[in-house]
Amino acid sequence: MNVEEAITSRYSARLFKKDQPIAEADLKKIVKLAQSAPSWVDSQPWKVYIATGNTLNKVKRQHVMNVKSGVESTPDWETTHRDQWAAFPRENMRVHNEDTAKFWEDPRLADITRLELETNLFDAAAICYLTIPKDSNMWSAYDLGGFGQTLMLAAKGMGIDSIPAYEIVRFPNSVREIMEIPEQEWVAMGIALGYTDAVTKANDYRAHRVPEDEILTIKD
């Protein structure tokens, strides 16, 4: 798979195959490739904690327990309501919400819900928790985004799908305890990895993309 194919074919998968783990050697290769991402003065502020096997099962059980018990979401990075975003991204979110609402009206999805997928952490085969030091600045947050995208493209190039999701980092205290992540690090983002369940309709959704003419300015 070339770079263009990896970029255009990558999407956020919402349900992975339960019975298909990812080899540890593949996970290590994905992270090694992601380390090619650029960063401010090569600061490379990121760290990666990956849950698989028994540890992942523990993470999933605790997540389900937190959701069903009504534990308050306390992500390390504050979330904001859509109304608090700038006008341009707010409009894109409106389109996304309308598109997903329509998508989930499909009768072929009657036996599954978005909440169920999220609560079960998408049946991921592995979960990557990306962190940066709490005394980082905004440039490190930018660098972490580049690292995360590179990680997902590396995975796609190896036939492994992904989804970055707020749901994965809703309960950082539980994650820190299970994954032994130092308190001095922000649990900034979680990326679920796995092999897509091609049977379910839940993986058919493709997000709208703004036409490039609306975001691009070239001055000659």
Side-chain angles (χ1 to χ4, degrees):
M1 183 180 295
N2 62 37
V3 174
E4 183 175 350
E5 289 171 338
I7 292 172
T8 58
S9 64
R10 200 218 72 81
Y11 68 98
S12 290
R14 286 168 171 78
L15 186 60
F16 300 101
K17 294 179 180 178
K18 289 184 178 181
D19 58 350
Q20 193 169 353
I22 302 172
E24 184 173 317
D26 288 341
L27 292 171
K28 288 182 177 180
K29 183 177 180 180
I30 288 168
V31 173
K32 183 176 181 179
L33 290 171
Q35 285 181 282
S36 299
S39 60
W40 185 283
V41 198
D42 282 332
S43 53
Q44 303 171 69
W46 49 72
K47 288 190 178 180
V48 188
Y49 299 81
I50 303 181
T52 63
N54 292 331
T55 298
L56 179 58
N57 289 335
K58 186 175 182 180
V59 166
K60 289 178 178 178
R61 287 195 300 269
Q62 185 61 55
H63 190 85
V64 170
M65 185 182 303
N66 288 344
V67 172
K68 292 187 175 181
S69 300
V71 174
E72 182 181 0
S73 301
T74 56
D76 281 353
W77 287 0
E78 182 183 3
T79 61
T80 56
H81 188 272
R82 196 180 78 196
D83 291 346
Q84 295 176 279
W85 290 64
F88 181 62
R90 186 168 67 242
E91 173 60 18
N92 294 333
M93 286 188 277
R94 182 192 65 78
V95 173
H96 169 79
N97 288 341
E98 291 180 354
D99 287 348
T100 54
K102 183 177 180 180
F103 175 80
W104 282 95
E105 291 175 357
D106 192 313
R108 289 171 292 180
L109 291 167
D111 62 339
I112 196 168
T113 66
R114 280 181 287 181
L115 178 60
E116 180 182 354
L117 295 175
E118 293 170 352
T119 300
N120 293 322
L121 296 179
F122 317 102
D123 286 340
I127 291 180
C128 304
Y129 295 97
L130 309 186
T131 77
I132 56 175
K134 285 187 175 179
D135 54 356
S136 296
N137 57 39
M138 290 183 67
W139 292 107
S140 286
Y142 172 85
D143 293 340
L144 185 67
F147 176 83
Q149 173 72 342
T150 306
L151 185 150
M152 289 186 286
L153 291 178
K156 187 62 182 179
M158 297 167 60
I160 298 170
D161 288 297
S162 60
I163 179 172
Y166 159 74
E167 184 71 23
I168 299 172
V169 294
R170 277 180 62 189
F171 309 112
N173 293 334
S174 297
V175 170
R176 276 197 179 85
E177 181 178 354
I178 296 172
M179 299 301 296
E180 299 182 353
I181 298 175
E183 182 62 37
Q184 293 76 22
E185 297 174 25
W186 273 318
V187 182
M189 178 48 66
I191 298 176
L193 299 176
Y195 297 95
T196 297
D197 184 338
V199 176
T200 177
K201 175 73 175 175
N203 282 329
D204 287 355
Y205 178 75
R206 297 294 183 272
H208 163 78
R209 285 293 179 262
V210 177
E212 58 269 25
D213 289 346
E214 293 186 22
I215 67 167
L216 175 64
T217 299
I218 298 177
K219 293 286 189 179
D220 192 356

